[in-house]
Amino acid sequence: MFNCTLENGTERDMRNTPYAPVFGSVMMLGLPLNAVSLWILLRCHSLKSPSVVFMVNLAISDLLLVISLPMRVYFYATGTWPLGDKACICFTMLFRNNIRSSSIFITFITVDRLLAVVYPLRSRHLRTTSNAMKAVVLVWLFVLVWNIPESVEFSRFLDKNNESTCFEFCHKLPSTLAYFQPMLVLTMLAVNIVSTALVSWTLHRHLNDSARINNKVNVMMIFAMNLMMFTVFFLPVSLIVIFESWRRARTPLICLASVNCCLDPLLYYFSFDGFWKRKEDVDTSVARE
């Protein structure tokens, strides 16, 4: 059995048509925000700190998601898919890869902030650009390798149905693949919760350090935003496979998950005191990172 029920074509078209303007709005907002953020990160901050490396790759992940949205808009507006099975698999994987890579990169940012705040001296040999680059390469390889078995299962799904069900792919149960994403997101969420608690406790101990109180507020904003990303955008859509009652809300939850790409630029802003300044004006701030 598949873990969701496919509707007939007419009913599906009527139910899905309102999702086209939602995905269109996310695309129109997410493309310029992430493109400008990526340009600023590379031009003003370079790749001189681990956090910048992770944020650059997070912005790239969001842009890949945005690239996949025009075809979702077309699909939900017309109820047809004109590009064939392989293109359908490709665009679906772009969306799924965003949730997986984004959850990992956001967790890396959280752990990097944890080490910088709680273990600033002992973590210097770990928090290097070289180590961040290696971690990023491993993440992308991990995500791409996982696409192989999932794409094979998706191809079988399309063979049994038709191209009008392109973005309605459901894992076949029982399937290890079906539970990979929820386990990944739950694990990353646990790391974020523990890291937030440790950083909050550390900052509370040094609350009287008024010279850096503004920086403390920004640090806690980063952790709060990361937790929101998981609990609001990543977790609900990932738990569909576990909670059967959520399956009818599958497409609305996918819409909600896509909004994460519009909010990630706020994370970059709160991460740097001089986000909009040129590189020579923020060298000191980057060195602190």
Side-chain angles (χ1 to χ4, degrees):
M1 293 179 60
F2 288 97
N3 70 349
C4 66
T5 302
L6 297 180
E7 300 167 331
N8 63 65
T10 303
E11 182 181 357
R12 186 169 56 243
D13 292 347
M14 292 179 63
R15 290 171 59 89
N16 289 347
T17 300
Y19 300 128
V22 176
F23 285 117
S25 299
V26 172
M27 177 185 65
M28 296 299 293
L29 189 61
L31 180 60
L33 283 176
N34 285 283
V36 170
S37 295
L38 182 61
W39 181 81
I40 292 173
L41 286 169
L42 292 174
R43 180 177 176 83
C44 299
H45 300 277
S46 292
L47 298 176
K48 289 193 172 184
S49 71
S51 57
V52 175
V53 173
F54 299 139
M55 289 176 193
V56 165
N57 281 272
L58 180 58
I60 292 173
S61 176
D62 288 337
L63 284 173
L64 290 176
L65 168 64
V66 172
I67 289 174
S68 72
L69 293 183
M71 292 313 302
R72 281 188 180 265
V73 173
Y74 180 87
F75 174 78
Y76 287 116
T78 66
T80 61
W81 180 257
L83 300 181
D85 288 0
K86 291 183 179 179
C88 176
I89 294 172
C90 179
F91 283 110
T92 300
M93 291 303 108
L94 283 177
F95 183 88
R96 291 178 174 234
N97 287 346
N98 172 259
I99 295 179
R100 295 158 187 173
S101 59
S102 293
S103 65
I104 298 175
F105 290 138
I106 287 175
T107 302
F108 280 171
I109 294 170
T110 297
V111 172
D112 179 70
R113 294 296 84 203
L114 166 69
L115 295 175
V117 173
V118 181
Y119 309 105
L121 298 179
R122 283 183 286 177
S123 65
R124 283 185 175 179
H125 68 287
L126 294 174
R127 297 180 59 249
T128 64
T129 302
S130 175
N131 286 340
M133 290 286 194
K134 294 175 184 177
V136 163
V137 171
L138 288 177
V139 170
W140 285 116
L141 285 175
F142 173 74
V143 169
L144 291 175
V145 167
W146 196 263
N147 283 172
I148 297 174
E150 195 167 49
S151 296
V152 171
E153 186 176 337
F154 191 10
S155 178
R156 292 172 181 170
F157 169 83
L158 292 175
D159 288 341
K160 292 181 179 180
N161 295 277
N162 55 63
E163 292 175 357
S164 66
T165 61
C166 176
F167 292 122
E168 298 177 6
F169 169 48
C170 308
H171 280 290
K172 192 175 183 180
L173 296 177
S175 172
T176 304
L177 294 175
Y179 296 100
F180 165 70
Q181 185 163 307
M183 292 305 299
L184 173 66
V185 172
L186 285 170
T187 301
M188 297 296 104
L189 175 59
V191 173
N192 277 267
I193 291 174
V194 172
S195 299
T196 301
L198 288 173
V199 169
S200 178
W201 177 73
T202 301
L203 293 180
H204 182 72
R205 289 172 55 195
H206 302 284
L207 192 60
N208 293 328
D209 186 4
S210 59
R212 298 186 65 185
I213 187 64
N214 290 332
N215 190 49
K216 290 178 182 179
V217 172
N218 285 353
V219 168
M220 290 313 302
M221 284 295 298
I222 294 171
F223 282 87
M225 286 192 60
N226 289 350
L227 288 177
M228 182 194 69
M229 289 290 181
F230 277 90
T231 56
V232 176
F233 302 113
F234 299 153
L235 193 58
V237 73
S238 300
L239 293 181
I240 293 174
V241 69
I242 298 176
F243 299 105
E244 185 174 355
S245 60
W246 292 17
R247 291 169 191 168
R248 285 195 172 274
R250 183 174 177 273
T251 306
L253 289 177
I254 290 176
C255 284
L256 180 64
S258 68
V259 177
N260 86 87
C261 71
C262 300
L263 298 182
D264 282 335
L266 287 176
L267 176 63
Y268 316 142
Y269 177 80
F270 285 113
S271 297
F272 301 103
D273 294 334
F275 179 72
W276 297 100
K277 297 179 182 179
R278 292 182 62 82
K279 178 176 174 295
E280 57 267 22
D281 297 327
V282 296
D283 281 341
T284 302
S285 175
V286 172
R288 277 206 313 269
E289 298 295 324

